[in-house]
Amino acid sequence: MSSLTVPDAIEKLWTYRSRQVRASKEILELGLFLMDSGVDLHKKMDDEYWAFLEQIAFAAMDLGRVEIADDCITQLEERFPDSTRVQVLHGMRLECSGDKKDLLDALQMYDKILQEDDANAGIWKRRVAVYKQLGDAKSAVEDLCRYLDTFYTDVEGWLELAALYTNNHEYATGLEALSHAMALSPQNPFYVLQFAETAATKGGRDGWALALKMYLRCVEMCEDGVELDELTGKRPGVCRRAWFGARLAIRRLVGSADKSGPDHMGVPNEETLKQLLQTANERLAEEYSGSGEKSSNKVVIEWIGA
């Protein structure tokens, strides 16, 4: 950073803050440059100095430089002793240690904040993070459910809840959580793909039947009006993954399919499944063709029997 000036560094950090960019390595380097510059930063930045300290504290915690974070947090606590925002920062610093006592102290701090403001969404999320770090999945689920009762439209919250359930092999409730995410963001094919893969992991004929339906829905979303990649001329990777999933689901179902028509689970008849399997093979062969120099592509094409 030999050519970097103090005003340039301050401006870059302000840009990161205003755009909410979490480029921790770059931010910490800029912050250390300013701290070592010998300039009176408080006088130079005026009220922006406190936002600067918060920004550097976050970056330092991300990178494990807790001694830097401690210095920033101490200054903020001296200036804003009753600030909830600074208390949250202190709680996150306790989380960084990974020590059980510190984690429990962070929980107590968050509990106190919620007693005064139970609509603080960030604190609910921090509690969930602490419970996960403690290995207490049950409490994490309970807190997240209470949070989503109030903040229903938080898609990321529903995805987190689904992950907690599926990590505990509770696939049915995981699918319920994912259904809320899809309802809130119906045009996102990644959520549909995640739902399909969770149903496939659940297994059983009903699970594979549901997985096939959702894999095909994902394919439909990806192939309907989605622009091809400018460099490869191929469809998005989510589409290929959905076709792979559909192929696997079809092969699981084809032996038990009704020969006359769809059954009560909505599984197509055997002839339709075979046609779908052929279509899946053709689509995958198409996606992996045109790059013959790649041995991995040849393996895929041989594997699908195209």
Side-chain angles (χ1 to χ4, degrees):
M1 294 189 180
S2 56
S3 61
L4 186 68
T5 65
V6 168
D8 287 341
I10 292 174
E11 184 177 356
K12 286 184 177 181
L13 286 171
W14 179 86
T15 301
Y16 281 133
R17 287 199 303 276
S18 62
R19 296 179 180 176
Q20 297 184 339
V21 176
R22 194 164 179 170
S24 299
K25 184 175 184 295
E26 293 80 2
I27 287 172
L28 185 58
E29 288 176 352
L30 290 168
L32 291 176
F33 167 78
L34 289 173
M35 290 175 176
D36 295 337
S37 66
V39 174
D40 185 341
L41 295 177
H42 190 184
K43 183 176 180 181
K44 183 78 173 178
M45 302 171 75
D46 199 21
D47 287 343
E48 285 293 312
Y49 178 67
W50 308 112
F52 159 77
L53 288 178
E54 182 185 47
Q55 183 182 26
I56 301 307
F58 277 125
M61 287 189 286
D62 281 347
L63 297 173
R65 300 291 301 275
V66 292
E67 73 284 355
I68 299 173
D70 286 340
D71 180 59
C72 294
I73 294 170
T74 298
Q75 293 185 62
L76 288 166
E77 287 178 327
E78 290 174 353
R79 176 63 179 81
F80 306 101
D82 299 320
S83 168
T84 298
R85 189 162 169 171
V86 176
Q87 289 176 24
V88 173
L89 201 60
H90 190 170
M92 293 176 68
R93 168 61 184 90
L94 291 173
E95 292 180 50
C96 284
S97 74
D99 180 75
K100 184 175 181 180
K101 181 182 181 302
D102 285 342
L103 292 172
L104 293 175
D105 287 344
L107 274 179
Q108 288 183 350
M109 185 176 293
Y110 298 151
D111 286 341
K112 184 179 178 181
I113 295 173
L114 286 176
Q115 287 174 5
E116 299 175 359
D117 178 16
D118 62 358
N120 191 318
I123 295 298
W124 283 106
K125 290 184 176 183
R126 293 258 47 93
R127 280 173 55 89
V128 171
V130 172
Y131 280 128
K132 287 176 63 179
Q133 198 168 348
L134 286 169
D136 188 352
K138 181 180 178 182
S139 295
V141 167
E142 289 175 352
D143 261 26
L144 198 47
C145 287
R146 291 167 63 191
Y147 165 78
L148 289 168
D149 282 342
T150 303
F151 302 95
Y152 175 80
T153 57
D154 187 342
V155 176
E156 295 298 324
W158 287 109
L159 295 175
E160 179 66 27
L161 182 60
L164 286 168
Y165 280 133
T166 54
N167 287 342
N168 201 37
H169 310 292
E170 298 177 37
Y171 301 114
T173 43
L175 289 170
E176 289 180 16
L178 286 172
S179 68
H180 289 283
M182 291 192 300
L184 292 166
S185 186
Q187 302 304 318
N188 192 317
F190 290 96
Y191 301 159
V192 178
L193 178 64
Q194 186 175 347
F195 188 98
E197 292 179 338
T198 302
T201 305
K202 176 177 179 290
R205 197 166 188 277
D206 59 336
W208 284 108
L210 180 58
L212 175 59
K213 178 180 178 181
M214 301 310 291
Y215 279 130
L216 294 177
R217 172 59 184 145
C218 183
V219 166
E220 181 183 30
M221 294 172 71
C222 293
E223 295 193 348
D224 185 15
V226 175
E227 295 182 2
L228 302 180
D229 187 278
E230 293 182 359
L231 296 177
T232 65
K234 307 295 184 182
R235 295 182 179 85
V238 63
C239 188
R240 293 194 296 274
R241 185 159 172 163
W243 273 121
F244 273 119
R247 185 179 185 275
L248 180 60
I250 292 167
R251 291 171 68 88
R252 290 280 185 149
L253 294 168
V254 70
S256 60
D258 196 315
K259 296 185 182 299
S260 57
D263 61 19
H264 68 285
M265 293 182 183
V267 178
N269 61 41
E270 187 172 340
E271 183 60 30
T272 302
L273 284 175
K274 289 179 179 179
Q275 292 174 1
L276 284 172
L277 181 59
Q278 181 179 351
T279 301
N281 288 340
E282 291 172 354
R283 288 287 195 278
L284 289 169
E286 178 183 326
E287 290 297 315
Y288 285 90
S289 63
S291 301
E293 72 279 1
K294 292 185 178 180
S295 59
S296 59
N297 286 8
K298 293 180 180 179
V299 170
V300 171
I301 293 174
E302 290 175 1
W303 176 68
I304 63 178

